[in-house]
Amino acid sequence: NYEPRAARLAAELKAAQPAVDIKMIPSSGGLFEVTVDGTLVFSKKSLRRHAEPGEVVRLIAAGERAV
């Protein structure tokens, strides 16, 4: 169950960018991806690991991707 991790990430993003619009879309097969304006920023499937705390926020702030 990845919902707790997704909820923590959503809270991190809201803390960093209060105006951000977050949509959590349930999936199956261990898929965990973060997209910003249609651009894939983080993919657990591609990287074969979960995001570290703060990693996605840093990637978005820097305009980078980890896929």
Side-chain angles (χ1 to χ4, degrees):
N1 180 2
Y2 299 108
E3 192 172 329
R5 279 184 201 248
R8 280 193 297 273
L9 175 56
E12 283 181 18
L13 291 169
K14 275 291 192 187
Q17 296 289 329
V20 72
D21 179 30
I22 297 172
K23 291 181 189 173
M24 295 196 301
I25 303 168
S27 67
S28 61
L31 187 68
F32 184 88
E33 296 182 331
V34 177
T35 60
V36 176
D37 296 330
T39 300
L40 185 62
V41 174
F42 183 88
S43 173
K44 176 184 167 273
K45 183 178 179 181
S46 293
L47 296 172
R48 297 182 176 180
R49 65 174 179 83
H50 285 285
E52 298 295 327
E55 180 178 8
V56 173
V57 172
R58 285 191 302 274
L59 289 168
I60 292 169
E64 297 176 1
R65 302 174 355 157
V67 289

Short mmCIF file of all heavy atoms in Angstrom, two decimals:
data_model
loop_
_atom_site.label_atom_id
_atom_site.label_comp_id
_atom_site.label_asym_id
_atom_site.label_seq_id
_atom_site.Cartn_x
_atom_site.Cartn_y
_atom_site.Cartn_z
N ASN A 1 0.85 -1.19 0.00
CA ASN A 1 0.00 0.00 0.00
C ASN A 1 0.89 1.25 0.00
O ASN A 1 1.60 1.53 0.95
CB ASN A 1 -0.90 -0.02 1.22
CG ASN A 1 -1.82 1.17 1.29
OD1 ASN A 1 -1.82 2.02 0.41
ND2 ASN A 1 -2.59 1.23 2.35
N TYR A 2 0.84 1.98 -1.09
CA TYR A 2 1.68 3.16 -1.25
C TYR A 2 0.98 4.45 -0.87
O TYR A 2 1.57 5.52 -0.96
CB TYR A 2 2.17 3.26 -2.70
CG TYR A 2 2.99 2.07 -3.11
CD1 TYR A 2 2.51 1.13 -3.99
CD2 TYR A 2 4.26 1.88 -2.58
CE1 TYR A 2 3.26 0.02 -4.34
CE2 TYR A 2 5.02 0.78 -2.92
CZ TYR A 2 4.52 -0.14 -3.81
OH TYR A 2 5.27 -1.22 -4.16
N GLU A 3 -0.26 4.34 -0.43
CA GLU A 3 -1.02 5.55 -0.11
C GLU A 3 -0.35 6.42 0.96
O GLU A 3 -0.30 7.63 0.79
CB GLU A 3 -2.44 5.18 0.32
CG GLU A 3 -3.36 6.40 0.38
CD GLU A 3 -4.80 6.01 0.62
OE1 GLU A 3 -5.21 4.93 0.17
OE2 GLU A 3 -5.49 6.79 1.26
N PRO A 4 0.19 5.85 2.04
CA PRO A 4 0.87 6.71 3.03
C PRO A 4 2.05 7.49 2.44
O PRO A 4 2.24 8.66 2.74
CB PRO A 4 1.33 5.73 4.11
CG PRO A 4 0.40 4.57 3.98
CD PRO A 4 0.10 4.46 2.51
N ARG A 5 2.85 6.84 1.58
CA ARG A 5 3.97 7.54 0.94
C ARG A 5 3.47 8.66 0.05
O ARG A 5 4.03 9.74 0.02
CB ARG A 5 4.80 6.59 0.10
CG ARG A 5 5.78 5.79 0.88
CD ARG A 5 6.59 4.98 -0.12
NE ARG A 5 7.19 3.85 0.54
CZ ARG A 5 8.49 3.72 0.75
NH1 ARG A 5 9.31 4.64 0.34
NH2 ARG A 5 8.94 2.68 1.37
N ALA A 6 2.42 8.36 -0.72
CA ALA A 6 1.85 9.37 -1.62
C ALA A 6 1.30 10.54 -0.82
O ALA A 6 1.47 11.70 -1.21
CB ALA A 6 0.77 8.75 -2.49
N ALA A 7 0.66 10.26 0.30
CA ALA A 7 0.11 11.33 1.15
C ALA A 7 1.23 12.19 1.73
O ALA A 7 1.11 13.41 1.80
CB ALA A 7 -0.75 10.74 2.25
N ARG A 8 2.35 11.56 2.13
CA ARG A 8 3.49 12.33 2.65
C ARG A 8 4.09 13.22 1.56
O ARG A 8 4.42 14.38 1.80
CB ARG A 8 4.57 11.39 3.20
CG ARG A 8 4.27 10.88 4.60
CD ARG A 8 5.48 10.22 5.24
NE ARG A 8 5.94 9.04 4.52
CZ ARG A 8 5.47 7.81 4.71
NH1 ARG A 8 4.50 7.61 5.58
NH2 ARG A 8 5.95 6.80 4.03
N LEU A 9 4.19 12.68 0.35
CA LEU A 9 4.72 13.48 -0.75
C LEU A 9 3.78 14.64 -1.05
O LEU A 9 4.24 15.77 -1.27
CB LEU A 9 4.90 12.62 -2.00
CG LEU A 9 5.34 13.38 -3.25
CD1 LEU A 9 6.63 14.16 -3.01
CD2 LEU A 9 5.48 12.42 -4.41
N ALA A 10 2.49 14.40 -1.04
CA ALA A 10 1.52 15.47 -1.29
C ALA A 10 1.68 16.57 -0.23
O ALA A 10 1.64 17.76 -0.55
CB ALA A 10 0.10 14.92 -1.29
N ALA A 11 1.88 16.18 1.02
CA ALA A 11 2.08 17.16 2.09
C ALA A 11 3.37 17.94 1.89
O ALA A 11 3.40 19.16 2.10
CB ALA A 11 2.09 16.45 3.45
N GLU A 12 4.44 17.27 1.46
CA GLU A 12 5.71 17.96 1.17
C GLU A 12 5.52 18.99 0.07
O GLU A 12 6.02 20.12 0.16
CB GLU A 12 6.78 16.96 0.70
CG GLU A 12 7.41 16.13 1.77
CD GLU A 12 8.48 15.20 1.18
OE1 GLU A 12 8.95 15.43 0.05
OE2 GLU A 12 8.83 14.23 1.87
N LEU A 13 4.82 18.58 -0.99
CA LEU A 13 4.60 19.49 -2.11
C LEU A 13 3.75 20.69 -1.71
O LEU A 13 4.05 21.82 -2.09
CB LEU A 13 3.94 18.74 -3.27
CG LEU A 13 4.83 17.72 -3.97
CD1 LEU A 13 4.00 16.86 -4.91
CD2 LEU A 13 5.95 18.40 -4.72
N LYS A 14 2.71 20.44 -0.92
CA LYS A 14 1.85 21.54 -0.46
C LYS A 14 2.62 22.50 0.43
O LYS A 14 2.42 23.71 0.37
CB LYS A 14 0.63 21.00 0.30
CG LYS A 14 -0.52 20.62 -0.57
CD LYS A 14 -1.14 21.85 -1.18
CE LYS A 14 -2.47 21.53 -1.82
NZ LYS A 14 -3.02 22.64 -2.55
N ALA A 15 3.51 21.98 1.27
CA ALA A 15 4.31 22.83 2.15
C ALA A 15 5.26 23.70 1.33
O ALA A 15 5.49 24.87 1.65
CB ALA A 15 5.10 21.98 3.14
N ALA A 16 5.83 23.13 0.26
CA ALA A 16 6.79 23.86 -0.57
C ALA A 16 6.10 24.83 -1.53
O ALA A 16 6.61 25.91 -1.79
CB ALA A 16 7.65 22.89 -1.37
N GLN A 17 4.94 24.44 -2.03
CA GLN A 17 4.21 25.24 -3.02
C GLN A 17 2.73 25.22 -2.65
O GLN A 17 1.97 24.41 -3.19
CB GLN A 17 4.40 24.66 -4.42
CG GLN A 17 5.80 24.70 -4.93
CD GLN A 17 6.24 26.11 -5.26
OE1 GLN A 17 5.46 26.96 -5.64
NE2 GLN A 17 7.53 26.36 -5.08
N PRO A 18 2.28 26.08 -1.75
CA PRO A 18 0.89 26.03 -1.26
C PRO A 18 -0.17 26.13 -2.36
O PRO A 18 -1.26 25.60 -2.21
CB PRO A 18 0.80 27.23 -0.32
CG PRO A 18 2.20 27.49 0.10
CD PRO A 18 3.06 27.10 -1.07
N ALA A 19 0.13 26.74 -3.49
CA ALA A 19 -0.86 26.91 -4.55
C ALA A 19 -0.93 25.71 -5.50
O ALA A 19 -1.74 25.69 -6.42
CB ALA A 19 -0.58 28.17 -5.35
N VAL A 20 -0.10 24.69 -5.28
CA VAL A 20 -0.04 23.55 -6.18
C VAL A 20 -1.34 22.75 -6.16
O VAL A 20 -1.99 22.62 -5.13
CB VAL A 20 1.17 22.64 -5.83
CG1 VAL A 20 0.95 21.88 -4.55
CG2 VAL A 20 1.47 21.69 -6.96
N ASP A 21 -1.75 22.25 -7.32
CA ASP A 21 -2.94 21.41 -7.45
C ASP A 21 -2.45 19.97 -7.55
O ASP A 21 -1.76 19.61 -8.51
CB ASP A 21 -3.73 21.80 -8.70
CG ASP A 21 -4.96 20.94 -8.90
OD1 ASP A 21 -5.53 20.47 -7.89
OD2 ASP A 21 -5.35 20.74 -10.05
N ILE A 22 -2.78 19.15 -6.57
CA ILE A 22 -2.29 17.78 -6.51
C ILE A 22 -3.44 16.81 -6.77
O ILE A 22 -4.50 16.93 -6.17
CB ILE A 22 -1.67 17.47 -5.13
CG1 ILE A 22 -0.46 18.37 -4.91
CG2 ILE A 22 -1.30 16.00 -5.02
CD1 ILE A 22 0.09 18.30 -3.52
N LYS A 23 -3.20 15.85 -7.68
CA LYS A 23 -4.16 14.80 -7.95
C LYS A 23 -3.46 13.48 -7.72
O LYS A 23 -2.42 13.21 -8.32
CB LYS A 23 -4.64 14.84 -9.40
CG LYS A 23 -5.48 16.02 -9.73
CD LYS A 23 -5.91 15.96 -11.19
CE LYS A 23 -6.57 17.25 -11.59
NZ LYS A 23 -6.86 17.29 -13.02
N MET A 24 -4.01 12.66 -6.83
CA MET A 24 -3.47 11.32 -6.61
C MET A 24 -4.40 10.36 -7.33
O MET A 24 -5.60 10.33 -7.07
CB MET A 24 -3.36 11.02 -5.13
CG MET A 24 -2.36 11.93 -4.44
SD MET A 24 -1.81 11.41 -2.81
CE MET A 24 -3.30 11.32 -1.89
N ILE A 25 -3.84 9.60 -8.25
CA ILE A 25 -4.62 8.67 -9.06
C ILE A 25 -4.17 7.25 -8.71
O ILE A 25 -3.03 6.87 -9.00
CB ILE A 25 -4.40 8.95 -10.56
CG1 ILE A 25 -4.77 10.41 -10.86
CG2 ILE A 25 -5.19 7.97 -11.40
CD1 ILE A 25 -4.33 10.89 -12.22
N PRO A 26 -5.05 6.48 -8.09
CA PRO A 26 -4.69 5.10 -7.74
C PRO A 26 -4.35 4.28 -8.98
O PRO A 26 -4.94 4.48 -10.05
CB PRO A 26 -5.94 4.55 -7.06
CG PRO A 26 -6.74 5.75 -6.66
CD PRO A 26 -6.41 6.81 -7.67
N SER A 27 -3.39 3.39 -8.83
CA SER A 27 -3.02 2.50 -9.92
C SER A 27 -2.66 1.15 -9.33
O SER A 27 -2.75 0.94 -8.13
CB SER A 27 -1.85 3.07 -10.71
OG SER A 27 -0.69 3.09 -9.92
N SER A 28 -2.22 0.24 -10.17
CA SER A 28 -1.82 -1.08 -9.69
C SER A 28 -0.42 -1.39 -10.19
O SER A 28 0.13 -0.67 -11.01
CB SER A 28 -2.81 -2.13 -10.19
OG SER A 28 -2.81 -2.17 -11.60
N GLY A 29 0.15 -2.45 -9.68
CA GLY A 29 1.44 -2.89 -10.17
C GLY A 29 2.62 -2.11 -9.63
O GLY A 29 3.70 -2.16 -10.19
N GLY A 30 2.45 -1.35 -8.55
CA GLY A 30 3.56 -0.63 -7.96
C GLY A 30 3.94 0.65 -8.68
O GLY A 30 4.99 1.21 -8.43
N LEU A 31 3.10 1.10 -9.60
CA LEU A 31 3.38 2.32 -10.34
C LEU A 31 3.27 3.53 -9.42
O LEU A 31 2.30 3.67 -8.70
CB LEU A 31 2.39 2.46 -11.50
CG LEU A 31 2.62 3.59 -12.47
CD1 LEU A 31 3.90 3.33 -13.26
CD2 LEU A 31 1.45 3.69 -13.43
N PHE A 32 4.29 4.37 -9.43
CA PHE A 32 4.28 5.60 -8.65
C PHE A 32 5.02 6.64 -9.47
O PHE A 32 6.24 6.59 -9.61
CB PHE A 32 4.98 5.41 -7.29
CG PHE A 32 4.91 6.63 -6.41
CD1 PHE A 32 3.84 6.82 -5.56
CD2 PHE A 32 5.91 7.58 -6.44
CE1 PHE A 32 3.77 7.95 -4.76
CE2 PHE A 32 5.85 8.71 -5.65
CZ PHE A 32 4.78 8.88 -4.80
N GLU A 33 4.26 7.54 -10.06
CA GLU A 33 4.85 8.55 -10.91
C GLU A 33 4.37 9.94 -10.53
O GLU A 33 3.24 10.10 -10.06
CB GLU A 33 4.50 8.28 -12.38
CG GLU A 33 5.08 6.98 -12.88
CD GLU A 33 4.79 6.72 -14.34
OE1 GLU A 33 3.76 7.19 -14.86
OE2 GLU A 33 5.61 6.01 -14.94
N VAL A 34 5.23 10.91 -10.73
CA VAL A 34 4.90 12.31 -10.46
C VAL A 34 5.09 13.07 -11.77
O VAL A 34 6.16 13.02 -12.37
CB VAL A 34 5.80 12.91 -9.36
CG1 VAL A 34 5.48 14.38 -9.15
CG2 VAL A 34 5.64 12.12 -8.07
N THR A 35 4.04 13.77 -12.20
CA THR A 35 4.13 14.60 -13.39
C THR A 35 3.82 16.04 -13.01
O THR A 35 3.05 16.30 -12.10
CB THR A 35 3.17 14.15 -14.50
OG1 THR A 35 1.84 14.23 -14.01
CG2 THR A 35 3.46 12.74 -14.95
N VAL A 36 4.45 16.96 -13.71
CA VAL A 36 4.21 18.39 -13.52
C VAL A 36 3.89 18.97 -14.90
O VAL A 36 4.73 18.90 -15.81
CB VAL A 36 5.44 19.10 -12.91
CG1 VAL A 36 5.21 20.59 -12.82
CG2 VAL A 36 5.75 18.52 -11.54
N ASP A 37 2.70 19.50 -15.03
CA ASP A 37 2.26 20.08 -16.31
C ASP A 37 2.51 19.13 -17.48
O ASP A 37 3.00 19.52 -18.53
CB ASP A 37 2.95 21.42 -16.57
CG ASP A 37 2.56 22.48 -15.56
OD1 ASP A 37 1.42 22.41 -15.04
OD2 ASP A 37 3.37 23.36 -15.28
N GLY A 38 2.21 17.85 -17.26
CA GLY A 38 2.35 16.85 -18.31
C GLY A 38 3.74 16.27 -18.48
O GLY A 38 3.93 15.37 -19.29
N THR A 39 4.71 16.75 -17.73
CA THR A 39 6.09 16.25 -17.82
C THR A 39 6.37 15.29 -16.66
O THR A 39 6.19 15.65 -15.50
CB THR A 39 7.10 17.42 -17.77
OG1 THR A 39 6.85 18.29 -18.87
CG2 THR A 39 8.53 16.91 -17.84
N LEU A 40 6.82 14.09 -16.99
CA LEU A 40 7.16 13.11 -15.97
C LEU A 40 8.41 13.57 -15.23
O LEU A 40 9.46 13.80 -15.83
CB LEU A 40 7.41 11.75 -16.62
CG LEU A 40 7.68 10.58 -15.70
CD1 LEU A 40 6.49 10.31 -14.78
CD2 LEU A 40 7.99 9.34 -16.52
N VAL A 41 8.29 13.72 -13.92
CA VAL A 41 9.40 14.21 -13.08
C VAL A 41 10.05 13.06 -12.32
O VAL A 41 11.27 13.02 -12.16
CB VAL A 41 8.89 15.28 -12.09
CG1 VAL A 41 9.97 15.70 -11.12
CG2 VAL A 41 8.35 16.48 -12.83
N PHE A 42 9.23 12.13 -11.83
CA PHE A 42 9.76 10.99 -11.07
C PHE A 42 8.97 9.75 -11.43
O PHE A 42 7.74 9.80 -11.50
CB PHE A 42 9.67 11.24 -9.55
CG PHE A 42 10.26 10.12 -8.76
CD1 PHE A 42 11.60 10.12 -8.43
CD2 PHE A 42 9.49 9.03 -8.38
CE1 PHE A 42 12.16 9.06 -7.73
CE2 PHE A 42 10.04 7.97 -7.68
CZ PHE A 42 11.38 7.98 -7.36
N SER A 43 9.66 8.64 -11.64
CA SER A 43 9.01 7.37 -11.94
C SER A 43 9.66 6.26 -11.13
O SER A 43 10.83 5.92 -11.34
CB SER A 43 9.12 7.04 -13.43
OG SER A 43 8.64 5.73 -13.67
N LYS A 44 8.90 5.70 -10.19
CA LYS A 44 9.40 4.56 -9.41
C LYS A 44 9.65 3.37 -10.33
O LYS A 44 10.62 2.64 -10.15
CB LYS A 44 8.39 4.18 -8.33
CG LYS A 44 8.78 2.95 -7.54
CD LYS A 44 7.67 2.59 -6.55
CE LYS A 44 7.89 1.21 -5.98
NZ LYS A 44 7.31 0.16 -6.81
N LYS A 45 8.82 3.20 -11.33
CA LYS A 45 8.97 2.09 -12.26
C LYS A 45 10.31 2.18 -13.01
O LYS A 45 11.04 1.20 -13.11
CB LYS A 45 7.82 2.06 -13.25
CG LYS A 45 7.86 0.90 -14.20
CD LYS A 45 6.66 0.91 -15.11
CE LYS A 45 6.71 -0.25 -16.09
NZ LYS A 45 5.56 -0.25 -16.99
N SER A 46 10.63 3.36 -13.52
CA SER A 46 11.88 3.53 -14.27
C SER A 46 13.11 3.41 -13.38
O SER A 46 14.11 2.81 -13.76
CB SER A 46 11.91 4.89 -14.96
OG SER A 46 10.93 4.96 -15.96
N LEU A 47 13.03 4.02 -12.19
CA LEU A 47 14.19 4.05 -11.29
C LEU A 47 14.30 2.83 -10.40
O LEU A 47 15.33 2.62 -9.76
CB LEU A 47 14.15 5.32 -10.43
CG LEU A 47 14.25 6.63 -11.21
CD1 LEU A 47 14.00 7.81 -10.28
CD2 LEU A 47 15.60 6.75 -11.88
N ARG A 48 13.20 2.07 -10.30
CA ARG A 48 13.14 0.87 -9.45
C ARG A 48 13.40 1.18 -7.99
O ARG A 48 14.05 0.43 -7.27
CB ARG A 48 14.10 -0.19 -9.95
CG ARG A 48 13.76 -0.67 -11.32
CD ARG A 48 14.70 -1.74 -11.76
NE ARG A 48 14.28 -2.24 -13.06
CZ ARG A 48 14.91 -3.17 -13.71
NH1 ARG A 48 15.98 -3.72 -13.20
NH2 ARG A 48 14.47 -3.56 -14.87
N ARG A 49 12.90 2.34 -7.57
CA ARG A 49 13.02 2.73 -6.15
C ARG A 49 12.00 3.82 -5.85
O ARG A 49 11.50 4.49 -6.74
CB ARG A 49 14.42 3.23 -5.82
CG ARG A 49 14.77 4.53 -6.56
CD ARG A 49 16.11 5.08 -6.10
NE ARG A 49 16.46 6.30 -6.81
CZ ARG A 49 16.03 7.52 -6.49
NH1 ARG A 49 15.21 7.70 -5.45
NH2 ARG A 49 16.40 8.58 -7.19
N HIS A 50 11.74 3.99 -4.56
CA HIS A 50 10.87 5.09 -4.13
C HIS A 50 11.67 6.38 -4.06
O HIS A 50 12.89 6.35 -3.92
CB HIS A 50 10.31 4.80 -2.72
CG HIS A 50 9.22 3.79 -2.73
ND1 HIS A 50 7.96 4.06 -3.17
CD2 HIS A 50 9.22 2.49 -2.36
CE1 HIS A 50 7.22 2.98 -3.06
NE2 HIS A 50 7.97 2.01 -2.58
N ALA A 51 10.97 7.48 -4.13
CA ALA A 51 11.61 8.79 -3.95
C ALA A 51 12.07 8.94 -2.51
O ALA A 51 11.38 8.50 -1.58
CB ALA A 51 10.64 9.90 -4.31
N GLU A 52 13.22 9.53 -2.33
CA GLU A 52 13.71 9.85 -0.99
C GLU A 52 12.92 11.06 -0.46
O GLU A 52 12.42 11.86 -1.26
CB GLU A 52 15.20 10.19 -1.03
CG GLU A 52 16.08 9.05 -1.50
CD GLU A 52 16.09 7.88 -0.56
OE1 GLU A 52 15.98 8.09 0.67
OE2 GLU A 52 16.18 6.74 -1.04
N PRO A 53 12.82 11.23 0.85
CA PRO A 53 12.13 12.40 1.39
C PRO A 53 12.73 13.69 0.82
O PRO A 53 13.95 13.85 0.80
CB PRO A 53 12.36 12.30 2.90
CG PRO A 53 12.54 10.83 3.15
CD PRO A 53 13.27 10.33 1.92
N GLY A 54 11.88 14.55 0.30
CA GLY A 54 12.32 15.82 -0.25
C GLY A 54 12.83 15.76 -1.67
O GLY A 54 13.03 16.80 -2.31
N GLU A 55 13.06 14.57 -2.20
CA GLU A 55 13.64 14.44 -3.54
C GLU A 55 12.76 15.05 -4.63
O GLU A 55 13.25 15.79 -5.49
CB GLU A 55 13.90 12.96 -3.85
CG GLU A 55 14.50 12.73 -5.21
CD GLU A 55 14.79 11.26 -5.49
OE1 GLU A 55 14.39 10.38 -4.70
OE2 GLU A 55 15.42 11.00 -6.53
N VAL A 56 11.48 14.73 -4.63
CA VAL A 56 10.59 15.23 -5.68
C VAL A 56 10.46 16.74 -5.60
O VAL A 56 10.48 17.43 -6.61
CB VAL A 56 9.22 14.52 -5.62
CG1 VAL A 56 8.25 15.15 -6.61
CG2 VAL A 56 9.38 13.03 -5.90
N VAL A 57 10.37 17.27 -4.39
CA VAL A 57 10.28 18.73 -4.22
C VAL A 57 11.54 19.39 -4.79
O VAL A 57 11.45 20.40 -5.50
CB VAL A 57 10.08 19.10 -2.73
CG1 VAL A 57 10.19 20.59 -2.51
CG2 VAL A 57 8.72 18.59 -2.24
N ARG A 58 12.70 18.82 -4.51
CA ARG A 58 13.97 19.37 -5.04
C ARG A 58 14.00 19.30 -6.57
O ARG A 58 14.43 20.23 -7.24
CB ARG A 58 15.16 18.63 -4.46
CG ARG A 58 15.48 19.00 -3.03
CD ARG A 58 16.83 18.45 -2.58
NE ARG A 58 16.93 17.00 -2.70
CZ ARG A 58 16.52 16.13 -1.77
NH1 ARG A 58 15.98 16.58 -0.64
NH2 ARG A 58 16.66 14.83 -1.95
N LEU A 59 13.56 18.17 -7.13
CA LEU A 59 13.55 18.02 -8.58
C LEU A 59 12.66 19.07 -9.23
O LEU A 59 13.04 19.70 -10.23
CB LEU A 59 13.07 16.63 -8.97
CG LEU A 59 14.02 15.47 -8.68
CD1 LEU A 59 13.30 14.15 -8.85
CD2 LEU A 59 15.23 15.55 -9.57
N ILE A 60 11.48 19.26 -8.68
CA ILE A 60 10.54 20.23 -9.24
C ILE A 60 11.11 21.64 -9.12
O ILE A 60 11.08 22.42 -10.07
CB ILE A 60 9.16 20.13 -8.55
CG1 ILE A 60 8.52 18.78 -8.93
CG2 ILE A 60 8.27 21.29 -8.95
CD1 ILE A 60 7.29 18.43 -8.12
N ALA A 61 11.67 21.98 -7.96
CA ALA A 61 12.22 23.32 -7.75
C ALA A 61 13.38 23.59 -8.71
O ALA A 61 13.54 24.72 -9.18
CB ALA A 61 12.68 23.47 -6.30
N ALA A 62 14.15 22.57 -9.02
CA ALA A 62 15.31 22.73 -9.90
C ALA A 62 14.94 22.57 -11.38
O ALA A 62 15.80 22.75 -12.24
CB ALA A 62 16.39 21.72 -9.52
N GLY A 63 13.70 22.20 -11.64
CA GLY A 63 13.28 21.98 -13.02
C GLY A 63 13.91 20.76 -13.64
O GLY A 63 14.12 20.69 -14.83
N GLU A 64 14.24 19.76 -12.80
CA GLU A 64 14.90 18.55 -13.25
C GLU A 64 13.94 17.37 -13.26
O GLU A 64 12.82 17.46 -12.77
CB GLU A 64 16.09 18.24 -12.36
CG GLU A 64 17.16 19.30 -12.39
CD GLU A 64 18.29 19.04 -11.43
OE1 GLU A 64 18.28 18.00 -10.74
OE2 GLU A 64 19.20 19.86 -11.38
N ARG A 65 14.43 16.25 -13.78
CA ARG A 65 13.66 15.02 -13.80
C ARG A 65 14.53 13.87 -13.34
O ARG A 65 15.73 13.87 -13.60
CB ARG A 65 13.16 14.71 -15.22
CG ARG A 65 12.33 15.78 -15.80
CD ARG A 65 11.96 15.55 -17.24
NE ARG A 65 12.56 14.40 -17.86
CZ ARG A 65 12.06 13.77 -18.93
NH1 ARG A 65 10.98 14.19 -19.47
NH2 ARG A 65 12.67 12.74 -19.45
N ALA A 66 13.91 12.90 -12.69
CA ALA A 66 14.61 11.66 -12.32
C ALA A 66 13.77 10.51 -12.85
O ALA A 66 12.90 10.00 -12.18
CB ALA A 66 14.78 11.56 -10.81
N VAL A 67 14.01 10.18 -14.10
CA VAL A 67 13.24 9.08 -14.72
C VAL A 67 14.16 8.18 -15.50
O VAL A 67 15.24 8.53 -15.82
CB VAL A 67 12.11 9.60 -15.63
CG1 VAL A 67 11.01 10.20 -14.80
CG2 VAL A 67 12.61 10.57 -16.64
#
